[in-house]
Amino acid sequence: MAQQLLMPKATAVWLVDNTALSFDQIAQFCKLHPLEVKAIADGEAAQGIKGLDPISTGQLSRDEIQRGEADVNYRLKLSDPKVRVPESKRRGPRYTPVSKRQDRPNAILWLVRNHPELKDAQISRLVGTTKSTIEQIRERTHWNAANLAPMDPVTLGLCSQIDLDLEVEKASKGRPLPTAAELGASLQPASETENLGFSYRTEREEEKEIDANAVFAKLSSLKSTRSDEEEDERF
C-alpha cells in the first residue's frame, strides 16, 4: 500500500506559514493545485483549518525542507514511516460489479456441483452472494432454476483461482479419504493374481523348449544331408 500524506490541506497551511517553499513545491507535496496553495497563502481558502506540522508527524524532515528552500526545482519526498500499520483485511461478502451479478447463480451452481465440500459461507465469500440464494440453487427452488447453467466463477471473473483453491483446501482439511467404491475402482482378489508370475515363466520356458527342438531338428537334417553327399562322392 502506497504511503499517503495525512491531512494535506492542514499540512499545506503549516508549510505556507512556516517555510519559504514555493507554491509549486507545496502543491506537489500535498497533492493540491498551485492555485489552491496560493489561495491558502492569500487567506482565501482553508480558513479555520489549523496547520499540521509534518515534522512532528514524521512525514517530513527539516533537512528535506531545507533542500527544497535551497532549490526551487527540488521535489519534497515523504519520509519513511517508523512503524508500518498492516492494511486491514476486508470482511463480509465480496463485492460484485453490477454487470456480473447476473452470472452469480450460474457460478453458484458450478461450485455446488464441482465442489460439494464447500460450505455456504465459503461460496458466499467467493462470489458475494447470500445463504438463501445458495439454498435455493441447491434445492432447485430458484426462480430461474430452469435456465441456469454451471459456469466457472474464475472464468466469469467473480473470484481468482488462488481464492478458489484456498477455500477448497480449507474445506478438504479433516475430510476422510474417498473409498475404493466411491472412486469406482477395486483391487483384484489374490486368487486371480497369485499364479500370474508362475504361468508366465512356464510359457516362456515352453517357448524356449520349442525353439531348442526346432534348432536341433534343423541341425540334424543338415548333418544327414552332408553325410549323404559324402557317400555319393566316394562312389
Side-chain angles (χ1 to χ4, degrees):
M1 182 178 179
Q3 185 186 1
Q4 296 182 356
L5 180 67
L6 298 176
M7 303 178 66
K9 285 191 176 181
T11 302
V13 171
W14 189 92
L15 293 174
V16 168
D17 295 337
N18 297 277
T19 67
L21 296 171
S22 66
F23 293 158
D24 291 336
Q25 289 175 311
I26 297 174
Q28 179 269 332
F29 181 72
C30 298
K31 307 299 181 185
L32 301 174
H33 195 277
L35 294 179
E36 188 174 3
V37 177
K38 184 177 183 301
I40 293 174
D42 296 337
E44 299 175 358
Q47 296 178 357
I49 297 179
K50 184 179 180 180
L52 177 66
D53 183 1
I55 299 174
S56 62
T57 59
Q59 297 193 100
L60 190 63
S61 64
R62 294 186 183 277
D63 294 337
E64 192 73 1
I65 293 176
Q66 291 176 0
R67 292 191 192 98
E69 292 175 341
D71 184 5
V72 180
N73 296 322
Y74 184 79
R75 293 293 178 258
L76 301 176
K77 299 177 182 178
L78 277 172
S79 301
D80 292 332
K82 297 180 180 179
V83 178
R84 294 187 180 274
V85 180
E87 184 179 0
S88 59
K89 294 184 178 180
R90 176 186 52 82
R91 293 185 178 182
R94 180 188 300 273
Y95 172 76
T96 306
V98 178
S99 59
K100 296 182 179 180
R101 291 180 184 177
Q102 60 183 359
D103 297 328
R104 281 189 298 191
N106 295 328
I108 296 171
L109 181 60
W110 187 91
L111 291 172
V112 169
R113 289 187 178 181
N114 293 275
H115 295 286
E117 70 275 11
L118 290 176
K119 299 179 180 179
D120 292 351
Q122 292 178 301
I123 297 176
S124 179
R125 284 196 298 267
L126 287 171
V127 299
T129 185
T130 60
K131 186 176 180 180
S132 60
T133 303
I134 299 173
E135 290 179 352
Q136 291 174 3
I137 293 177
R138 284 185 188 274
E139 299 172 359
R140 305 295 295 176
T141 58
H142 191 267
W143 65 272
N144 196 27
N147 299 322
L148 295 181
M151 299 182 69
D152 189 350
V154 177
T155 305
L156 294 174
L158 296 174
C159 67
S160 65
Q161 187 64 51
I162 295 176
D163 292 337
L164 177 58
D165 293 341
L166 288 175
E167 294 295 345
V168 172
E169 183 180 357
K170 290 179 183 178
S172 300
K173 287 183 178 179
R175 189 184 182 195
L177 295 176
T179 61
E182 292 176 348
L183 293 175
S186 61
L187 296 176
Q188 294 182 355
S191 59
E192 297 181 6
T193 60
E194 59 184 0
N195 294 324
L196 179 61
F198 176 76
S199 61
Y200 174 76
R201 287 196 298 270
T202 303
E203 291 175 359
R204 296 291 296 177
E205 291 175 358
E206 290 177 355
E207 290 178 0
K208 289 182 179 179
E209 291 179 357
I210 294 172
D211 294 339
N213 294 333
V215 171
F216 284 121
K218 188 174 182 180
L219 290 174
S220 300
S221 62
L222 290 174
K223 186 176 180 181
S224 60
T225 304
R226 288 182 179 178
S227 300
D228 295 339
E229 291 177 355
E230 290 177 356
E231 291 179 357
D232 294 337
E233 289 177 358
R234 288 178 184 179
F235 293 102

